[in-house]
Amino acid sequence: MNKLEQFNNIQGFIFDVDGVLTTGELLLTEKGEMLRKMNTRDGYALQLAIKRGYELAIITGGSSKGVADRLKALGIVHVYTKAHPKIEDYRELIEIWEIEEDDILYMGDDVPDVEVMMKVGLPTCPADAASEVMQVAKYVSPKTGGKGCVRDVIEKVMRVQGNWKE
C-alpha cells in the first residue's frame, strides 16, 4: 500500500487532548489551576475539517472546562471528558456517527489510548508518544504533541481526498 493510501477513506477523526492537542505539560498556578497550551494551527485544521463535512470528536481522560470550551468553540460537538476507559465513549460515538471503524483516524499518545487505537482503521500518534502507542500506530506524525501533529494528520487526509483548499 502506498503510504498516502491509508488516508483515502477517512471520514472521522478522534483525538486525545493531553499529549496530542497539548504538549502534555501542565503549568500550575498558585490557586491550583492547571493551564495547557494549544496550537492555533491545529485549531484551524479542526474547524476546517468540520466545515468540509468530516466527523470530529475528542475523547480525553481530563476534565478541563477551558479545554472543552475551546474545542466546542471550534465546532466540535462530541467532546468526551473524564473518559475512563475511553473505549466506552468510543463505542457510543461510532453508533452516533454510523460510519465504519475502518474509516476512523484516532490520534493518541499514551497507554489509555491503545484500546481504541486497536479498533480504528488508522491509529496515529505524535512523534513523542509512548512506545506502546508507537507500536500500534500505522502513522507516526513527525510533529510532537501540541506542536502541530493534529494539523499534520488532518491536512494529510484532506489533501489526499482533495479537500484542503479555501
Side-chain angles (χ1 to χ4, degrees):
M1 173 192 311
N2 171 325
K3 273 196 169 235
L4 293 178
E5 284 180 19
Q6 63 189 337
F7 298 103
N8 277 341
N9 299 320
I10 299 303
Q11 299 174 31
F13 297 93
I14 304 171
F15 297 100
D16 179 30
V17 172
D18 291 323
V20 173
L21 282 160
T22 74
T23 61
E25 300 170 304
L26 294 174
L27 180 62
L28 303 174
T29 69
E30 289 298 318
K31 293 182 180 180
E33 297 171 304
M34 292 185 280
L35 305 176
R36 295 163 174 88
K37 186 166 60 170
M38 295 181 137
N39 187 300
T40 58
R41 290 186 184 142
D42 286 348
Y44 173 78
L46 288 164
Q47 61 83 32
L48 184 61
I50 293 166
K51 286 180 186 173
R52 296 287 190 265
Y54 293 90
E55 298 287 359
L56 257 107
I58 304 299
I59 302 177
T60 179
S63 62
S64 167
K65 182 181 178 330
V67 169
D69 289 348
R70 162 80 174 142
L71 296 169
K72 288 178 181 175
L74 291 170
I76 302 173
V77 175
H78 304 288
V79 178
Y80 295 89
T81 60
K82 299 180 187 176
H84 303 288
K86 293 182 176 189
I87 195 73
E88 293 172 10
D89 292 314
Y90 169 74
R91 287 185 184 124
E92 177 182 314
L93 184 63
I94 61 170
E95 284 184 32
I96 293 168
W97 282 356
E98 298 180 348
I99 61 177
E100 298 294 320
E101 288 180 301
D102 283 347
D103 299 334
I104 298 173
L105 178 151
Y106 182 95
M107 180 173 267
D109 74 306
D110 211 346
V111 174
D113 299 304
V114 170
E115 188 175 14
V116 176
M117 291 176 74
M118 306 254 315
K119 296 284 186 188
V120 301
L122 187 52
T124 66
C125 68
D128 58 346
S131 62
E132 296 91 338
V133 172
M134 287 195 176
Q135 290 172 7
V136 174
K138 290 183 182 174
Y139 175 78
V140 177
S141 174
K143 307 285 186 178
T144 58
K147 303 273 184 168
C149 62
V150 170
R151 163 80 177 246
D152 175 52
V153 294
I154 292 174
E155 185 174 340
K156 275 195 174 37
V157 167
M158 292 176 68
R159 281 193 188 278
V160 165
Q161 295 179 7
N163 293 323
W164 187 265
K165 49 188 170 270
E166 282 301 314

